[in-house]
Amino acid sequence: MSDHRSGARPSAVAMTVGLTLLALNLRPAVGSVSPLLDDIQESVGLSDSAVSVLTTLPVVCLGVFAAVSPALSRRMGTPRALVLGFVFLIAGILVRLDEAAWALFLGTALAGAGLAIGNVLMPAVIKSVFPDRVRLYTGIGTAVLSAGAALAAGVAVPLRNATDSWSGSLALWVIPAALGLIVWLPLARRADRPASAAGSTAGGSLLGDAMAWQVTGYLALRALVYFTALGWLPTILADFGYSNATSGALLSLAMLVSVPGALFAPILVGRKGTSPIVVAIAVAGAVSLLGLLWAPGIAALWVVILGITLGAGHAMALTFIGLRSPSPQVAAQLSGMVQTIGYLVGGIAGPLLLGLLHGATDGWTVSLILLAAFTLPELILGLCSSRGRAVRPRSRQSGATHQQTTQPPALVD
């Protein structure tokens, strides 16, 4: 996946299996915690504030560790960095078996670190192995990711009942993580050594590139809507008169329908271009949020539309990373910037802001209108990101744009 060395390179089939297992593992280890929070809080004796920290910790880890993942990729090579990510993930899952508060928080942080590495480097894998099929494989990867999240939420309680413990339910996710590690170990051994820094397009900074900031802003606003909507949706529906069971079922429905949204949005880009898909996601997202407010009696319809836009929007953000990167190295660098800022800003500020507004207004009107309003700047940034220009890393010493030694792949919408 970089400079050549002796030995066969991993086949496309092997890399497809590796990509699928990578995507499958990017949500369950943390997504399976939320349905079990009541059991965990009672068993461990956590305060409400400690529970809030626990639910926020994975998003913080996704943002913080995303910042160092491109450096790991440059130093170790992408496959070896992903092996390290799987090791962190498995360690985090196993540490939580202790059922002590320290183990719960440490395990969640370790798992979050592993997930951050995988999140950032998945676009680099796609760009490296499937440079001419970025849209297709981004759609597949994001769909598998969304399916993993839906599966984790849906089976967490049944697994808890079957194992008679919340830690047993969480621990079973070590199985797909171990399978991922088993697949990626030989891929890492057979992969090429990392390219030297000389001549690498990832040697500069993206902080001065306008396109990089536009893609970053798009993911940040998508993350804001995603984490806020999913985090507060059951509470919103309960306040609108739905039972807890129905509210939970509708949340699962939203996560389930996000799978086809994630799969088909990048594929449709190949036929329609990025701009129409960006417009459709923003408009449908705003309609679904306002529909929940003004016609809560047909919440199932709005939840389905919202879920589709959540999956499609996340897939589009990852698609932009691949389309706007001239090389796998730059894809890892752009992905690190986008996800560090996007998750820290959108994933934390959004749910916090909505909660504060709900408390201050004693209702959901202002909160949902504001959340719908965020789709306007999201639309603008998405249209800006749709322009067919590659990001250009700039030298940290001189500020000059790095020149590529080879012609980059064509960047198409």
Side-chain angles (χ1 to χ4, degrees):
M1 295 173 66
S2 319
D3 290 345
H4 290 286
R5 66 173 191 173
S6 59
R9 291 166 61 86
S11 69
V13 172
M15 292 303 300
T16 299
V17 174
L19 174 65
T20 301
L21 284 170
L22 171 62
L24 180 63
N25 278 284
L26 290 181
R27 289 296 179 269
V30 295
S32 55
V33 173
S34 296
L36 303 172
L37 276 178
D38 288 342
D39 283 342
I40 294 173
Q41 184 173 16
E42 181 178 354
S43 171
V44 182
L46 298 178
S47 64
D48 289 342
S49 59
V51 170
S52 297
V53 172
L54 179 65
T55 55
T56 306
L57 184 58
V59 182
V60 174
C61 289
L62 286 175
V64 171
F65 288 99
V68 302
S69 297
L72 286 175
S73 177
R74 289 195 299 271
R75 185 176 183 85
M76 305 171 63
T78 297
R80 296 172 184 82
L82 287 172
V83 166
L84 179 62
F86 275 109
V87 170
F88 280 143
L89 175 59
I90 292 170
I93 294 173
L94 293 178
V95 163
R96 293 188 299 201
L97 282 171
D98 188 273
E99 292 197 5
W102 69 267
L104 182 62
F105 283 91
L106 176 60
T108 300
L110 287 171
L115 299 182
I117 294 173
N119 266 338
V120 169
L121 298 185
M122 188 170 78
V125 172
I126 294 171
K127 188 70 177 182
S128 175
V129 184
F130 311 105
D132 299 323
R133 298 182 177 180
V134 168
R135 295 184 298 269
L136 173 63
Y137 279 91
T138 298
I140 293 173
T142 313
V144 173
L145 184 154
S146 299
L151 180 64
V155 305
V157 174
L159 286 177
R160 182 252 178 267
N161 295 335
T163 60
D164 200 30
S165 70
W166 60 263
S167 62
S169 176
L170 298 181
L172 288 176
W173 292 107
V174 77
I175 297 174
L179 288 175
L181 179 61
I182 291 169
V183 169
W184 276 98
L185 277 172
L187 292 176
R189 284 197 296 267
R190 296 168 59 191
D192 303 329
R193 292 293 181 185
S196 63
S200 168
T201 58
S205 171
L206 289 172
L207 295 179
D209 185 84
M211 177 62 73
W213 280 107
Q214 288 159 10
V215 175
T216 298
Y218 183 76
L219 184 135
L221 289 171
R222 286 310 314 166
L224 186 150
V225 175
Y226 183 94
F227 287 107
T228 303
L230 292 188
W232 285 104
L233 185 60
T235 304
I236 293 171
L237 293 172
D239 286 351
F240 286 163
Y242 289 89
S243 67
N244 290 335
T246 301
S247 298
L250 287 173
L251 174 61
S252 297
L253 177 62
M255 299 179 71
L256 184 63
V257 298
S258 71
V259 176
L263 176 62
F264 289 111
I267 296 174
L268 288 173
V269 165
R271 297 185 177 186
K272 304 294 184 180
T274 53
S275 297
I277 308 303
V278 165
V279 172
I281 291 170
V283 172
V287 168
S288 65
L289 292 167
L290 295 176
L292 278 174
L293 177 62
W294 292 327
I298 51 173
L301 172 63
W302 309 125
V303 166
V304 167
I305 297 173
L306 177 63
I308 292 172
T309 65
L310 294 179
H314 185 63
M316 282 304 303
L318 297 183
T319 299
F320 281 136
I321 294 173
L323 292 179
R324 300 298 163 246
S325 299
S327 70
Q329 294 79 18
V330 175
Q333 187 180 6
L334 177 60
S335 184
M337 173 181 171
V338 166
Q339 297 196 49
T340 296
I341 299 173
Y343 283 123
L344 288 179
V345 174
I348 297 175
L352 178 61
L353 176 62
L354 201 75
L356 291 174
L357 283 174
H358 172 61
T361 61
D362 197 27
W364 293 108
T365 301
V366 175
S367 299
L368 287 174
I369 290 176
L370 180 62
L371 194 59
F374 277 120
T375 61
L376 177 58
E378 169 204 315
L379 172 60
I380 295 171
L381 289 169
L383 292 175
C384 291
S385 300
S386 296
R387 295 177 299 164
R389 177 178 80 75
V391 297
R392 303 186 183 101
R394 295 180 178 273
S395 169
R396 294 181 176 88
Q397 286 78 25
S398 65
T401 301
H402 272 254
Q403 299 297 321
Q404 297 203 131
T405 57
T406 59
Q407 185 71 20
L411 301 178
V412 293
D413 285 343

